[in-house]
């Protein structure tokens, strides 16, 4: 049968909408528990792929908590269930059932290079979808928690520099001023290991954990700092789906004049260092200290650092040291153990004009 439907609300970030039809006596599916799903468990998809009505395909759960790796807006907030039941155009929005006939997810997208099914399908966990449904039915607006940090992955090299036993967690690159994170005491350079007792195995886990909690709700955060774990309490802000862009003011004056400090060279990694000029300080928002990587020597061993990076601190064996200038940075590198990894906290220009900077941690291994 076909019915006319009215859209009551939708949420682009989870790709979920609520529609209403005027009908009675409709059959209903049973809602299952995605958390109980195990990798290798059988699942079945029902849809209308390529126009073929009521098509059933079967497969197994390939992985859980996946990011889609696409340019869509859902990949950073939805812990997709990956499965290999055949899904093609026309399956989107259809149910994914477990072996007990319960709906555990909504089929959403596929990974493909041909445009057709290649064994990698993604589905939205039904518990997340039903939470969104409840909010849309109640008020038509979705409210999500926000911590107020910029994060990055913890690689094996960074784990070594931070003194972590294994590469896991989310590395805090920056903390928004006045945010819930700042009020809770979270600092740049912290590694978030747990959120509300849920282990952050991958940095992409943290946004999903945080946005699943309502704004104003108290939460627990465990971070790694200076070689030890610290437990903090935070009351979350409300997530706003906006991007803030910061740029330097182009005021008059000789901003390209070098600061009163001397350049230096590091012979271990092959770095040529210089002080920041006034324009760089204004654009990168570095009030004092720091060192710019001016160039790399012919025998340089660096793999991740690039000329133009502004180094503001270094992390060695879980201990952070602020960079006061080029000479001091060269001494910090000189004092590192052979074969150890140094994590450089840098501000890197994101445009050719050097008007905007991104903050990140870059690992480099000291030669034996």
């Amino acid at each position: 049968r076909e019915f006319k439907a009215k859209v009551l609300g939708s949420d682009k970030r989870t790709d979920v909408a609520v529609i209403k039809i005027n009908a009675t006596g409709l059959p209903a599916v049973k809602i299952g528990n995605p958390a109980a799903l195990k990798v290798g468990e059988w699942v079945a998809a029902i849809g209308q792929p390529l126009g073929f009505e009521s098509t059933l395909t079967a497969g197994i759960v390939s992985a859980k908590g996946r990011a889609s790796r696409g340019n869509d807006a859902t990949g950073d907030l939805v812990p997709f269930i990956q499965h290999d039941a055949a899904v093609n155009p026309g399956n989107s929005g259809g149910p994914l059932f477990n072996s007990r006939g319960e709906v555990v997810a909504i089929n959403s997208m596929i990974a493909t290079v041909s445009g057709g099914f290649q064994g990698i399908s993604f589905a939205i966990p039904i518990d997340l979808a039903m939470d969104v449904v409840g909010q849309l039915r109640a008020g038509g607006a979705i409210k999500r928690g926000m911590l107020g940090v910029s994060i990055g992955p913890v690689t094996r090299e960074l784990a070594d520099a931070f003194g972590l036993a294994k590469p896991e967690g989310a590395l805090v690159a920056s903390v928004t001023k006045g945010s819930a994170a700042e009020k809770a005491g979270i600092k740049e350079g912290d590694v978030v290991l747990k959120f509300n007792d849920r282990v952050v195995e991958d940095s992409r886990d943290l946004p999903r954990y945080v946005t699943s909690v309502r704004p104003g709700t108290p939460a627990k955060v465990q971070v790694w700092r200076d070689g030890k774990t610290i437990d903090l309490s935070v009351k979350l802000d409300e997530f706003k789906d906006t991007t803030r862009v910061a740029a330097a003011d182009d005021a008059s004056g000789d901003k390209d004049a070098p600061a009163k400090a001397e350049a230096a060279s590091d012979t271990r990694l092959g770095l040529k260092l210089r002080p920041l000029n006034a324009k760089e300080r204004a654009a990168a928002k570095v009030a004092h200290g720091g060192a710019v990587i001016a160039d790399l020597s012919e025998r340089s061993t660096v793999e991740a650092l690039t000329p133009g990076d502004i180094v503001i601190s270094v992390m060695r064996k879980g201990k952070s040291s602020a960079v006061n200038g080029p000479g001091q940075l060269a001494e910090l590198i000189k004092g590192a153990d052979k074969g150890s990894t140094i994590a450089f906290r840098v501000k890197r220009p994101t445009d050719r004009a050097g008007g905007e900077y991104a903050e990140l941690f870059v690992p480099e291994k000291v030669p034996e």
Side-chain angles (χ1 to χ4, degrees):
R1 292 181 290 170
E2 292 185 359
F3 301 90
K4 287 185 178 181
K6 179 182 179 181
V7 178
L8 297 183
S10 62
D11 178 44
K12 291 183 178 179
R13 294 308 299 264
T14 54
D15 197 24
V16 172
V18 176
I19 63 174
K20 181 180 180 179
I21 63 174
N22 293 318
T24 58
L26 296 173
V29 295
K30 293 182 179 179
I31 302 299
N33 179 15
L37 269 181
K38 291 181 170 51
V39 173
E41 186 173 336
W42 284 96
V43 287
I46 292 179
Q48 190 173 329
L50 307 177
F52 294 97
E53 294 184 1
S54 303
T55 296
L56 173 68
T57 55
I60 62 168
V61 175
S62 305
K64 297 175 66 177
R66 287 290 202 209
S68 67
R69 297 185 181 178
N71 293 323
D72 58 280
T74 62
D76 57 343
L77 298 186
V78 177
F80 285 107
I81 296 171
Q82 180 187 330
H83 64 89
D84 67 351
V87 169
N88 285 286
N91 276 111
S92 296
L96 184 72
F97 293 91
N98 61 17
S99 58
R100 292 173 293 280
E102 301 165 333
V103 176
V104 289
I106 302 172
N107 290 309
S108 177
M109 63 184 72
I110 61 175
T112 177
V113 293
S114 66
F117 173 70
Q118 291 187 284
I120 303 177
S121 306
F122 297 104
I124 303 163
I126 197 64
D127 56 348
L128 183 149
M130 295 308 292
D131 177 64
V132 171
V133 167
Q135 291 192 63
L136 289 174
R137 292 181 66 181
I142 304 300
K143 293 186 180 295
R144 299 185 174 94
M146 184 177 71
L147 198 53
V149 294
S150 174
I151 60 172
V154 178
T155 63
R156 189 169 298 280
E157 293 80 10
L158 285 173
D160 181 35
F162 279 76
L164 287 165
K166 56 182 177 179
E168 66 177 11
L171 177 56
V172 178
S174 62
V175 179
T176 304
K177 189 174 182 180
S179 67
E182 184 185 55
K183 294 173 184 176
I186 296 175
K187 298 181 179 180
E188 296 167 347
D190 285 350
V191 177
V192 180
L193 300 178
K194 292 182 180 180
F195 183 84
N196 274 348
D197 296 325
R198 300 173 72 182
V199 176
V200 181
E201 296 182 358
D202 185 282
S203 61
R204 291 171 294 189
D205 292 339
L206 185 59
R208 301 171 196 150
Y209 294 169
V210 173
T211 54
S212 67
V213 178
R214 298 288 185 274
T217 304
K220 296 184 292 183
V221 181
Q222 184 182 86
V223 302
W224 178 265
R225 183 189 302 164
D226 295 331
K228 60 183 179 181
T229 57
I230 300 174
D231 293 315
L232 302 171
S233 297
V234 60
K235 184 174 287 188
L236 298 177
D237 298 326
E238 183 176 349
F239 176 80
K240 300 294 184 181
D241 197 6
T242 57
T243 302
R244 184 187 65 170
V245 179
D249 294 330
D250 188 16
S252 61
D254 186 11
K255 291 187 176 182
D256 290 317
K260 293 183 179 179
E262 296 181 357
S265 295
D266 153 61
T267 56
R268 301 190 74 185
L269 294 177
L271 302 177
K272 296 181 180 180
L273 308 167
R274 65 168 176 81
L276 284 73
N277 57 45
K279 179 180 179 180
E280 290 165 336
R281 288 198 182 281
K285 297 182 179 179
V286 179
H288 52 80
V292 180
I293 298 178
D295 201 358
L296 306 176
S297 69
E298 293 181 359
R299 297 183 178 181
S300 175
T301 61
V302 302
E303 297 180 356
L305 290 168
T306 62
D309 284 350
I310 300 174
V311 183
I312 53 181
S313 68
V314 297
M315 182 75 69
R316 300 177 301 169
K317 294 183 177 180
K319 299 294 182 181
S320 178
S321 300
V323 173
N324 299 324
Q328 184 237 8
L329 176 56
E331 288 297 318
L332 288 171
I333 298 172
K334 183 179 179 180
D337 295 339
K338 293 181 179 179
S340 65
T341 301
I342 301 175
F344 293 83
R345 183 173 156 218
V346 306
K347 293 202 172 186
R348 177 171 292 172
T350 57
D351 60 351
R352 291 184 178 181
E356 298 178 9
Y357 283 78
E359 192 166 331
L360 63 157
F361 281 86
V362 176
E364 294 289 354
K365 189 172 184 177
V366 178
E368 295 287 350

